[in-house]
Amino acid sequence: MRWLVGWSCTTAKAPGTLGFDGANGSNGSVGGGDQGTLHPVGSQLLWGDPDPLWAVGDWRADEVRVVQADPRTRIAVLGTCGASDEQLRLGLLAARGGALRHLTTWSGSYTAVVQVGRRVTIAGDLAGARPVFYTPWADGTAYATAALPLADLIEAQLDIGHLAALLACPDVPEALRDSTPYVGVRRIPPAHALILRDGAREIAGYEPVASLAVAAPQMEAMRAVDGVRDALVEAVRTRLAAPRHVPDIDPGPVPGMGPAERRAPRMPVPGIGADLSGGPASATLALLAAGLPGLPGTVLGHGTGAGERLLAVTFNDLATSGREAELERAGALAANPRLHHVVVTGGEETLPYADLDGPLTDEPGPSLVLAGRHRARLAAGSADHFTGSGARQVLDAHPARLADLLMDRRRRHLVRPVAALAKAEGSVLVPGKVYAAARRLARTSYRSGIGDAALRLRDGRFEEPPGAVGASLAALTWARPGPAARWLTGEALAEVSVRLEQAATRPGPGPGQHPGELRARAGLARYAADLRVLEQAAEVRSQRLHAPFLDNQVVRACRALPEALRVRPGARADILRTVLEGAGVTDLPPGWGATSHASSAAAVSTGLRVAVDELVDLFGAPLLAQAGLVEARVVRKALRAAAEGAALPVDGLAELVSTELWLRRLLSRRGTCWTGTPARSRAVPAGIAPQRGALGSAGRT
């Protein structure tokens, strides 16, 4: 894990409080008496007191940049940023005048921190892949890009109410609010910045808000697609322009293995590579990276000796079937002479749930059950590896956008998506059902929609119609329970329903916002948070994963796409095909752009069936039951039923298993993110006390 952490206090250096000795180069610290100094473990100081900032973890030298205008006016940028030092200096001057959005408009994926006197500004991203957290501490505010270091700092207890909301309504921001799994540690929303002045905090949005008086005109379709192309090309070019990194040649002795044997499975290949699954998103990035100038492939003299060729990695699951067409398309794409194709095969040992051992992540996420599967693929990748993650979330139309079209009086654009659903279902009744559901949502107020979701939780109504049409109808709501909600206890569901009812009494998003747009942004934030968990759980030493579709500028370009274009069947493939054509790539294999979730669902079902005994043992005495969130007997019964083929939402079971795994890893941890504390303080020092009927006490603090 890599993060940045700092704080801002109400007073400057004083005995017994914050102190930084610039003369001897010590870290910013909390001193006094025999307490010693307090600073993050494995950190490098970027600037010192009274508002110190550290970079923690294995940051590369080019990933950390500090530009200073004067001793009290400076900017730190951590991550992959395409701005030059002069552009950073101009951004610093703009931020000094209050132009926060300017800090988020450079290409790449990064976090920017600006200090102007005693004012510190930390900008989050649009998607939520690079979040910012904060907590009150030492008469001021501590902040970080990870929640666990702040939880260690204040010895935070578990927020059981947040875990209940995360399981019951993971895609509903009104249930999660700004909480984290740790009491007292808060998260700023996407598209917002944290501003600290002498320890006092303010959260400000930096994206312009649509006018309620005059609707903003939508961009012309081809111009919007050109914007997506330009943003994607610039995102890829920024990664290609960064310095190449060669991993350590020998990661250390491994009993029974020689140097070549132990290096191959544990270290990535030097250079740049990409996933090549056969889907349109990964193929687009691989072809763009291979076609742009800048020596995208492996470094000459290292690894495969492929020189300028980009390493394309395809995963072939031998334990399940159904991906033959995708593998064939990946092979056809890999015939490009600029690609060096590697196929990674996996049997039952790479199925979901097969490898449940892994590192502690910052937060829980359903992708923890898939970490071993992804780690097997990424271990064959490059030191810098492109993934198509996030393309579906930023390009596809959420079903609730059909209601947005009705609200904007553009009914004719509903014809094509509704016709596609009717064709898939084979029923002439589908258009009427979909139109009625979209019309109902368009006429439902935000407050009523949130209240209906709270009522469904309290009444335990989780049934949803099957099939693609059923999923679309179920998604045509302001908020709905998640797949794991049906297995939570009544107390947990009551706590989340109270959270939703409280949200319904507060001012909503306003009449200028539509349900489809809000649901799409909430889904993107949830996906980005889970992808962050996956990157931490499946991390390969010396490797960097790049997801350009989640870059700020790419997200902005995708949001400019007209809704009428988004809702068309196959819109994502058409957009990416146009992007490639604009970049000079026209020779695509037949069937390019076809997508299918059948193979992934089959792998999850097979993995659940193979690992059911281990999963049942995991819930023999689960920590989730100690917290009052589930009943162990109910979950064990559901696991056995799903393994036998019962029609149950397996995504919900993955969320339960992942949360239980995360809790066990957290409580078995003995280390801390800080040094210099009297008792090596860490999060959740007392463990989980059995709770019944008091889940909401922590969540309402």
Side-chain angles (χ1 to χ4, degrees):
M1 289 177 58
R2 290 168 296 278
W3 64 84
L4 63 86
V5 61
W7 55 63
S8 175
C9 291
T10 55
T11 59
K13 179 178 178 180
T17 58
L18 294 179
F20 172 68
D21 187 356
N24 59 23
S26 64
N27 286 337
S29 61
V30 171
D34 57 359
Q35 182 180 1
T37 59
L38 175 65
H39 57 86
V41 176
S43 62
Q44 56 174 310
L45 185 68
L46 301 185
W47 59 65
D49 279 340
D51 305 308
L53 176 67
W54 293 273
V56 186
D58 60 334
W59 292 96
R60 296 171 175 173
D62 60 286
E63 292 176 330
V64 180
R65 288 197 289 166
V66 178
V67 174
Q68 185 169 301
D70 58 64
R72 300 297 295 156
T73 305
R74 48 199 170 188
I75 180 173
V77 175
L78 289 88
T80 303
C81 180
S84 64
D85 287 351
E86 182 59 29
Q87 289 174 315
L88 293 182
R89 188 170 287 105
L90 292 175
L92 172 60
L93 298 178
R96 184 171 63 180
L100 301 182
R101 188 176 185 271
H102 197 71
L103 300 175
T104 68
T105 57
W106 300 308
S107 61
S109 177
Y110 56 89
T111 300
V113 183
V114 170
Q115 183 186 48
V116 179
R118 293 300 313 279
R119 186 184 71 188
V120 179
T121 302
I122 312 97
D125 66 335
L126 290 176
R130 302 183 71 93
V132 177
F133 305 88
Y134 67 93
T135 186
W137 182 76
D139 296 327
T141 300
Y143 62 90
T145 53
L148 184 58
L150 300 182
D152 281 348
L153 185 65
I154 64 173
E155 293 189 327
Q157 297 295 333
L158 275 176
D159 190 339
I160 305 299
H162 172 85
L163 294 179
L166 193 63
L167 292 171
C169 298
D171 295 330
V172 183
E174 292 79 8
L176 297 171
R177 300 185 296 197
D178 63 347
S179 62
T180 68
Y182 314 100
V183 175
V185 180
R186 301 294 180 183
R187 176 200 319 265
I188 70 168
H192 285 69
L194 176 66
I195 304 173
L196 305 175
R197 294 182 177 89
D198 294 331
R201 56 189 172 272
E202 173 191 354
I203 298 175
Y206 54 75
E207 284 295 278
V209 179
S211 171
L212 302 182
V214 180
Q218 290 208 342
M219 188 179 295
E220 193 267 336
M222 288 308 300
R223 183 183 168 197
V225 174
D226 289 344
V228 174
R229 180 200 63 211
D230 294 343
L232 270 179
V233 169
E234 189 61 29
V236 173
R237 182 181 284 117
T238 297
R239 271 82 173 185
L240 295 180
R244 297 289 185 269
H245 291 270
V246 179
D248 297 336
I249 294 179
D250 191 345
V254 177
M257 289 187 181
E261 292 174 314
R262 65 177 180 249
R263 183 175 186 271
R266 297 179 58 188
M267 303 298 292
V269 174
I272 293 182
D275 286 338
L276 189 63
S277 65
S282 64
T284 297
L285 294 179
L287 293 173
L288 284 178
L292 291 176
L295 298 181
T298 57
V299 181
L300 283 171
H302 295 276
T304 63
E308 297 185 14
R309 291 197 292 170
L310 180 136
L311 180 66
V313 179
T314 299
F315 181 75
N316 184 12
D317 187 359
L318 301 180
T320 60
S321 59
R323 297 190 63 242
E324 291 78 7
E326 286 189 8
L327 293 174
E328 184 177 348
R329 285 195 296 272
L333 290 166
N336 187 316
R338 279 184 166 267
L339 295 178
H340 175 65
H341 194 210
V342 173
V343 179
V344 178
T345 58
E348 288 190 353
E349 73 280 359
T350 60
L351 284 171
Y353 301 100
D355 182 6
L356 297 182
D357 294 328
L360 172 66
T361 56
D362 195 40
E363 297 179 277
S367 60
L368 287 180
V369 301
L370 305 172
R373 185 178 181 85
H374 288 278
R375 195 181 302 115
R377 169 179 55 86
L378 295 174
S382 299
D384 289 276
H385 198 75
F386 286 96
T387 71
S389 302
R392 184 184 306 275
Q393 284 69 30
V394 298
L395 290 174
D396 284 9
H398 192 281
R401 286 192 182 271
L402 298 179
D404 295 357
L405 292 173
L406 286 180
M407 295 175 71
D408 292 339
R409 301 182 181 277
R410 289 181 287 166
R411 296 178 178 83
R412 62 186 179 89
H413 296 299
L414 271 68
V415 174
R416 295 180 66 175
V418 170
L421 286 173
K423 182 179 179 181
E425 190 76 6
S427 172
V428 296
L429 302 178
V430 169
K433 293 180 180 179
V434 174
Y435 182 82
R439 187 182 183 193
R440 188 183 310 113
L441 176 58
R443 295 185 173 186
T444 302
S445 67
Y446 167 83
R447 179 173 297 181
S448 297
I450 300 300
D452 291 344
L455 189 60
R456 287 189 63 184
L457 285 176
R458 195 161 50 248
D459 295 343
R461 292 185 283 114
F462 308 118
E463 296 77 14
E464 293 183 354
V469 174
S472 297
L473 294 176
L476 282 165
T477 57
W478 278 101
R480 62 170 177 162
R486 68 190 61 221
W487 292 299
L488 299 186
T489 61
E491 292 89 344
L493 295 175
E495 157 64 17
V496 182
S497 68
V498 169
R499 283 174 168 244
L500 290 176
E501 288 173 345
Q502 291 175 346
T505 62
R506 294 191 291 267
Q513 297 290 334
H514 291 347
E517 180 182 357
L518 292 180
R519 287 294 306 274
R521 296 192 180 193
L524 173 60
R526 177 57 186 153
Y527 177 85
D530 191 46
L531 179 64
R532 178 171 171 264
V533 170
L534 178 62
E535 290 178 350
Q536 297 168 5
E539 185 177 21
V540 176
R541 180 181 172 186
S542 300
Q543 185 179 69
R544 295 291 188 270
L545 297 183
H546 301 281
F549 284 102
L550 298 181
D551 289 1
N552 283 339
Q553 289 299 82
V554 177
V555 172
R556 285 192 178 101
C558 292
R559 286 181 177 175
L561 292 170
E563 290 181 354
L565 175 62
R566 287 178 180 273
V567 299
R568 295 177 186 173
R572 172 160 40 103
D574 293 340
I575 292 171
L576 294 180
R577 185 189 297 273
T578 305
V579 166
L580 288 176
E581 290 175 351
V585 180
T586 58
D587 188 15
L588 298 175
W592 187 89
T595 58
S596 173
H597 298 288
S599 58
S600 300
V604 171
S605 299
T606 304
L608 182 61
R609 185 177 67 253
V610 172
V612 64
D613 293 336
E614 183 180 355
L615 297 177
V616 169
D617 292 341
L618 181 69
F619 282 87
L623 296 174
L624 285 173
Q626 290 186 29
L629 295 176
V630 302
E631 292 185 7
R633 173 186 55 84
V634 174
V635 178
R636 291 196 298 267
K637 181 180 178 181
L639 288 169
R640 293 191 184 99
E644 293 172 359
L648 293 174
V650 293
D651 291 346
L653 293 174
E655 293 178 2
L656 291 176
V657 172
S658 297
T659 307
E660 177 67 21
L661 288 173
W662 180 81
L663 286 173
R664 292 183 178 235
R665 294 173 188 175
L666 177 66
L667 297 187
S668 64
R669 165 179 178 257
R670 291 294 176 264
T672 178
C673 296
W674 299 88
T675 183
T677 55
R680 292 180 59 80
S681 60
R682 64 176 183 270
V684 199
I688 299 177
Q691 300 185 41
R692 300 293 288 182
L695 292 174
S697 59
R700 298 191 186 99
T701 58

